[in-house]
Amino acid sequence: MAVYLDANASEPPRPLALDAARRALALTGNPASVHGPGRAARALLDSARETLARLLDARPGDIVFTSGATEANALALHALPAGRSVLVGATEHDSVLAAAPSATRLAVDRDGVIDLDAAAAALARGPAFVAVMAANNETGTIQPLPALAALCRRHGAWLHVDAVQGLGRGPVPPGDSLAISGHKLGGPPGAGALVLRGPTGAPRPLIAGGGQERGWRAGTPPLAAIAGLAAAAEAAFAAGPAETARLAPLRDAIIAAAEAAGAVALASGAPLLANTACLALPGVRADAQVIALDLAGIAVSAGAACSSGKVAPSHVLAAMGLGALAGQAIRVSLPWNATAAEAEAFIAAYPAIAARLAGALRGPRGCSTPAPEPRPAAA
Ligand code: PLP
């Protein structure tokens, strides 16, 4: 059984979320229908909306269910900036960057923390729509949102927060709008939400049709995924402080072991998510590390994508000014239910893998797959 250390890609399902999704899946009605089964489905949808509103300092009418955070970010950038210049953090998720190709990118420092002076200077130039994430999915860097929100208020700017990572493990993020995602909380994939806490005016949907979600997002809502999202959020908020306290020492032990084996812990000067370590092995491509760890039964991910014969360095790490290290970093992200034994498995496997790869692969760059390694014998 693989040791799963890739929670920032998708958290394992939480039992309460699975139960809620299963119960919702058994319902027949469409929440838009007026008959009894429709009303039962509608009651479940309303209850999920109320749960999220309570957790996120919003009103039920502020919650627009979407298919996930990619859509929530795209909807925010489509609907809200009218007449404003758009400023986005340089390390935002691709779903934000792709939805705002001509936005001004706000610089970050070497730890991935947004430059508040640059933000203030850009905000002083006129009405703005600002999109900055609560925490980075690759590095775990937590952004100084209270200070940024104060700046945005002072300049009358709209603040959109991609709140996908770390939700429930710290204060509820500020912002006029938030994007959240079910499968990053331990719910099923297929549901997320755009939370519209600020004044929006008339809906400007990306997907028009039957007028669901008060005109903001047409389509029959995926009730099971939404019920799972609400239950996952409830569980994540309830367990957040205890999970933070349990995961941080495991994360620190992983960082210490990796540093002892020659890795560089990135973003180490920033406040970080308790579950995330971003580890660069100088001279060794990220994809080679991910493959070697996978063959040892440990699932992590790379900040670099390999395609067309080239390693594409992560835009996040590149924006942090990390040069070649941007193509040599892996992300280890502990899931909510990670055990000490799973952290130990990484700590036991990493030094030998790092030594072997540093010896074998240092040198020519490219995207050729390293020679396959022997699979560990089955226990
Ligand atoms: N924003 C961040 C910070 C993410 O990490 C992700 C997923 O990787 C997304 C947005 C997109 O979320 P979804 O998978 O729900 O579309």
Side-chain angles (χ1 to χ4, degrees):
M1 172 83 162
V3 172
Y4 184 76
L5 304 180
D6 199 15
N8 292 7
S10 242
E11 281 279 8
R14 294 181 187 262
L16 289 174
L18 281 179
D19 288 349
R22 268 196 214 101
R23 279 198 307 276
L25 210 48
L27 288 183
T28 300
N30 184 320
S33 303
V34 293
H35 48 57
R39 289 200 306 280
R42 176 62 188 248
L44 201 61
L45 188 62
D46 287 346
S47 145
R49 211 183 289 287
E50 278 155 22
T51 299
L52 288 179
R54 171 169 45 78
L55 295 172
L56 297 172
D57 293 343
R59 294 161 304 179
D62 298 340
I63 310 289
V64 176
F65 287 116
T66 62
S67 61
T70 296
E71 186 188 332
N73 283 330
L75 180 56
L77 279 147
H78 163 77
L80 301 172
R84 295 162 177 265
S85 62
V86 179
L87 314 175
V88 303
T91 57
E92 294 307 296
H93 188 261
D94 280 329
S95 57
V96 168
L97 299 181
S102 47
T104 300
R105 295 202 184 180
L106 297 172
V108 297
D109 68 14
R110 226 178 142 74
D111 292 314
V113 178
I114 201 119
D115 180 339
L116 287 172
D117 291 335
L123 284 167
R125 289 199 279 273
F129 173 96
V130 181
V132 169
M133 64 206 331
N136 188 268
N137 45 306
E138 289 182 33
T139 60
T141 298
I142 296 172
Q143 295 296 353
L145 285 183
L148 182 65
L151 269 179
C152 287
R153 266 195 307 278
R154 194 172 318 138
H155 291 279
W158 182 283
L159 176 60
H160 172 72
V161 175
D162 175 340
V164 163
Q165 298 290 345
L167 196 63
R169 299 217 174 119
V172 177
D176 301 293
S177 54
L178 305 178
I180 67 166
S181 170
H183 71 112
K184 308 288 185 174
L185 290 165
L194 176 63
V195 184
L196 293 170
R197 297 196 287 208
T200 58
R204 285 176 295 283
L206 267 177
I207 301 172
Q212 289 92 344
E213 299 299 303
R214 298 170 318 291
W216 280 100
R217 202 276 187 179
T220 301
L223 206 50
I226 288 172
L229 158 65
E234 188 93 86
F237 274 76
E243 285 175 5
T244 299
R246 203 171 58 74
L247 295 178
L250 301 183
R251 187 267 326 261
D252 290 345
I254 284 173
I255 290 177
E259 284 181 326
V264 180
L266 303 182
S268 56
L272 293 176
L273 291 176
N275 77 322
T276 307
C278 189
L279 304 167
L281 193 56
V284 179
R285 296 188 323 255
D287 60 328
Q289 300 174 55
V290 170
I291 292 166
L293 284 161
D294 187 40
L295 290 172
I298 298 170
V300 302
S301 68
C306 188
S307 63
S308 325
K310 277 208 319 232
V311 172
S314 142
H315 74 272
V316 172
L317 304 181
M320 290 161 62
L322 293 171
L325 285 184
Q328 298 164 353
I330 60 167
R331 172 186 70 191
V332 181
S333 54
L334 297 159
W336 62 270
N337 56 357
T339 61
E342 288 169 322
E344 256 323 306
F346 179 92
I347 289 167
Y350 184 84
I353 288 174
R356 183 156 36 78
L357 291 177
L361 291 179
R362 209 185 293 277
R365 300 235 173 83
C367 202
S368 57
T369 308
E373 311 186 62
R375 281 184 181 273

